[in-house]
């Protein structure tokens, strides 16, 4: 009727105003609260970035210490949550566990759920940031049949996650500092990315007044798909299928990706917003080199395939014309795999990182006036017709 625009995939719709993250896709720029991602990755850390995304500015020393202490205070999950896990099959995908257990947190933490109160929203945000690595590591331990580790609050956020993933009761676990740095970077690089599909989902769920745990669970569900957070897992599968870095093998996959009759896409390539190199991918590529060099895997076959594939694709007319560049997930999977993290945990780790982005957007939306998200449609069904009455 002329009042509405038809915009499938929201290619040209700004659904909200936001002061959290700025992306210039043409220039390959990503700023969080004004700070460039490469500077943050080099000089900051994930907890400091969480504070900055949530509250708007970098913390001073006192604010940082208080925020870190608050997070540490909430890293454990209620003991009854252990029972929740037992209802899953051992081979359940950890994303399905994460999605369900996160939604279930609302059943355990009903205090401070007045979403109109700023302090209550911050308490929920802190609880989520603190508990997400614990639940993620529990999902992994449950999968492999090992006992859960309780969080070790003397460690940094990234170290604690690695500890909960890999420590066993039978030996002393020492976190490799190169792994901890790489893990922290992975958390930082995935922390926020303005109105992507999962963040928009969180805002949409939040716009109904739903509780924060339910909203984040909705975000996790949206992240799971291979076009979004599932891409890092899909990249590794693709590199496995390519097999080696021979020109012939790689070209076969590139041709497949270019074939419009084949649904296959080059995983870890392309982005809705970036029409230039994803600035996160540059940092991730460096991290991949550092981690593999530390491990003595500088000649890692998958890294070799990835680098050659990137080179061939970037010289190919199809990718040049469409401005398709590697995105953050092209290299993150290689780093995670090198650190001994199984592929089915990759998207889980993305969800742990993105929790701060989701909850910051939810908090921002509720801090101002907002409307329930309710898009319209272009109806293409039948005209009115009568129900047959015999
Ligand atoms: N391989 C081959 N062709 C591609 C690819 C690719 N990876 N990505 C886009 N294209 C083509 C697409 O077929 C289209 O061609 P044409 O104009 O001839 O129809 C053109 O490039 C434009 O792409 P689009 O599908 O309209 O772009 P989109 O904004 O709708 O989709 C995307 C973006 C990320 C879903 C898509 O590029 C994709 O599926 N990439 C692979 C999956 C991936 O790596 N996802 C991770 C994204 S970054 C992390 C995150 O945000 O979660």
């Amino acid at each position: 009727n002329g009042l509405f625009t038809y915009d499938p995939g929201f290619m040209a719709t700004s659904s909200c105003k936001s002061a959290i993250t700025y992306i210039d896709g043409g220039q390959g720029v990503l700023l969080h609260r004004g700070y460039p991602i490469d500077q943050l990755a080099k000089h900051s850390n994930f907890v400091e970035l969480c504070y900055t995304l949530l509250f708007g500015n970098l913390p001073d020393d006192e604010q940082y210490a208080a925020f870190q202490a608050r997070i540490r205070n909430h890293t454990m999950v209620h003991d009854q949550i252990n029972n929740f896990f037992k209802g899953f099959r051992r081979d359940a995908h950890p994303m399905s566990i994460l999605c369900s257990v996160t939604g279930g947190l609302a059943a355990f933490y009903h205090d401070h759920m007045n979403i109109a109160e700023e302090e209550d929203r911050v308490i929920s945000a802190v609880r989520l940031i603190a508990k997400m690595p614990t639940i993620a590591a529990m999902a992994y331990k449950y999968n492999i049949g090992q006992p859960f580790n309780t969080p070790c609050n003397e460690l940094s956020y990234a170290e604690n996650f690695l500890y909960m993933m890999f420590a066993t009761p039978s030996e002393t676990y020492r976190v490799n500092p190169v792994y901890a740095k790489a893990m922290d970077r992975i958390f930082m690089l995935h922390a926020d990315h303005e109105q992507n599909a999962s963040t928009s989902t969180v805002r949409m769920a939040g716009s109904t007044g739903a509780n924060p745990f339910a909203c984040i669970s909705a975000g996790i569900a949206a992240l799971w798909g291979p076009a979004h957070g599932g891409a890092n897992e899909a990249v590794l599968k693709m590199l496995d299928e390519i097999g080696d870095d021979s020109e012939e093998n790689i070209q076969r996959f590139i041709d497949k990706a270019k074939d419009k009759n084949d649904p296959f896409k080059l995983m870890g390539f392309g982005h809705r917003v970036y029409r230039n190199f994803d600035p996160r991918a540059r940092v991730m590529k460096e991290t991949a080199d550092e981690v593999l060099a530390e491990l003595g895997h500088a000649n890692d076959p998958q890294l070799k395939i990835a680098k050659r594939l990137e080179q061939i694709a970037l010289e190919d007319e199809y990718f040049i014309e469409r401005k398709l560049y590697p995105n953050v997930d092209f290299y993150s999977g290689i780093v995670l795999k090198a650190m001994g993290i199984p592929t089915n945990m990759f998207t889980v780790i993305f969800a742990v990182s993105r929790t701060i982005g989701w909850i910051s957007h939810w908090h921002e939306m509720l801090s101002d006036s907002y409307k329930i998200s309710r898009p319209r449609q272009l109806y293409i069904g039948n005209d009115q017709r009568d129900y047959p009455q015999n």
Side-chain angles (χ1 to χ4, degrees):
N1 60 13
L3 278 179
F4 306 114
T5 47
Y6 174 55
D7 182 18
F10 310 117
M11 302 283 286
T13 298
S14 297
S15 60
C16 62
K17 289 182 182 167
S18 179
I20 300 174
T21 289
Y22 171 77
I23 304 176
D24 180 336
Q27 298 298 317
V29 170
L30 169 62
L31 311 177
H32 292 316
R33 298 289 190 185
Y35 302 105
I37 188 65
D38 52 319
Q39 292 182 23
L40 289 165
K42 213 175 267 168
H43 306 298
S44 184
N45 65 57
F46 183 65
V47 169
E48 188 178 63
L49 179 57
C50 287
Y51 182 100
T52 310
L53 287 168
L54 191 59
F55 298 117
N57 289 302
L58 284 169
D60 61 26
D61 291 349
E62 211 175 298
Q63 288 165 330
Y64 178 78
F67 185 64
Q68 189 167 52
R70 266 187 106 166
I71 291 180
R72 286 180 168 160
N73 194 34
H74 286 282
T75 46
M76 283 205 295
V77 289
H78 193 289
D79 196 47
Q80 287 281 104
I81 289 177
N82 295 352
N83 298 336
F84 206 155
F85 275 80
K86 292 189 187 127
F88 289 99
R89 282 170 57 136
R90 285 278 174 193
D91 61 354
H93 196 290
M95 276 301 274
S96 75
I97 299 182
L98 191 74
C99 201
S100 322
V101 176
T102 305
L105 291 177
F108 291 88
Y109 304 103
H110 339 100
D111 57 326
H112 303 291
M113 286 272 254
N114 181 358
I115 59 167
E117 283 293 326
E118 179 172 358
E119 186 48 25
D120 275 19
R121 292 199 300 273
V122 170
I123 290 173
S124 295
V126 167
R127 278 188 165 141
L128 278 155
I129 302 161
K131 292 185 200 309
M132 209 53 102
T134 312
I135 299 168
M138 286 170 86
Y140 170 65
K141 287 294 197 190
Y142 186 74
N143 262 188
I144 60 170
Q146 285 185 7
F148 299 140
N149 284 320
T150 38
C152 178
N153 284 336
E154 285 155 25
L155 300 174
S156 74
Y157 192 90
E159 287 169 343
N160 179 42
F161 175 63
L162 292 171
Y163 163 80
M164 289 188 291
M165 285 281 294
F166 295 118
T168 57
S170 53
E171 58 191 357
T172 313
Y173 178 75
R174 289 191 213 303
V175 184
N176 179 326
V178 176
Y179 288 10
K181 184 177 157 207
M183 198 68 244
D184 198 69
R185 273 206 171 159
I186 288 177
F187 286 149
M188 290 178 86
L189 294 177
H190 291 86
D192 189 44
H193 217 224
E194 51 118 303
Q195 309 311 319
N196 55 85
S198 57
T199 304
S200 302
T201 302
V202 169
R203 277 188 180 257
M204 191 172 227
S207 77
T208 70
N211 75 70
F213 304 106
C215 295
I216 300 304
S217 174
I220 296 170
L223 185 76
W224 197 350
H228 193 5
N232 49 15
E233 189 174 338
V235 169
L236 261 272
K237 277 196 192 123
M238 177 184 77
L239 296 178
D240 263 349
E241 280 169 28
I242 295 176
D244 62 57
D245 66 339
S246 67
E247 199 87 11
E248 191 193 345
N249 262 354
I250 294 178
Q251 195 57 52
R252 201 157 45 84
F253 276 78
I254 296 217
D255 292 344
K256 208 169 139 54
K258 287 158 57 176
D259 181 354
K260 293 290 158 197
N261 296 317
D262 189 325
F264 173 76
K265 284 192 171 165
L266 217 51
M267 285 293 127
F269 257 78
H271 199 276
R272 169 62 60 83
V273 183
Y274 293 119
R275 299 298 175 200
N276 200 322
F277 223 93
D278 177 343
R280 303 168 300 169
R282 281 188 209 283
V283 182
M284 208 62 252
K285 191 175 181 178
E286 267 174 42
T287 307
D289 283 330
E290 279 168 26
V291 168
L292 294 170
E294 158 74 13
L295 289 171
H297 292 180
N299 283 324
D300 178 81
Q302 278 175 322
L303 186 66
K304 273 168 83 180
I305 300 172
K307 283 188 166 166
R308 189 71 192 119
L309 179 69
E310 175 186 337
Q311 207 177 19
I312 297 178
L314 292 180
E315 285 166 6
D316 190 296
E317 220 28 61
Y318 174 96
F319 292 87
I320 296 171
E321 260 172 26
R322 290 169 179 76
K323 299 190 167 61
L324 299 171
Y325 292 87
N327 57 52
V328 65
D329 287 328
F330 192 65
Y331 283 103
S332 64
I334 294 174
V335 178
L336 290 171
K337 190 181 166 215
M339 296 196 293
I341 292 173
T343 39
N344 65 2
M345 284 296 291
F346 291 3
T347 317
V348 171
I349 287 169
F350 192 156
V352 171
S353 330
R354 186 54 59 87
T355 296
I356 181 58
W358 292 329
I359 207 69
S360 299
H361 282 272
W362 172 81
H363 179 50
E364 180 182 63
M365 181 178 74
L366 296 180
S367 304
D368 206 344
S369 60
Y370 64 97
K371 280 190 168 300
I372 185 170
S373 294
R374 198 339 184 154
R376 300 304 303 266
Q377 63 169 3
L378 202 60
Y379 179 68
I380 54 163
N382 291 310
D383 287 341
Q384 182 172 335
R385 49 185 169 162
D386 290 326
Y387 185 84
Q389 299 173 32
N390 303 322

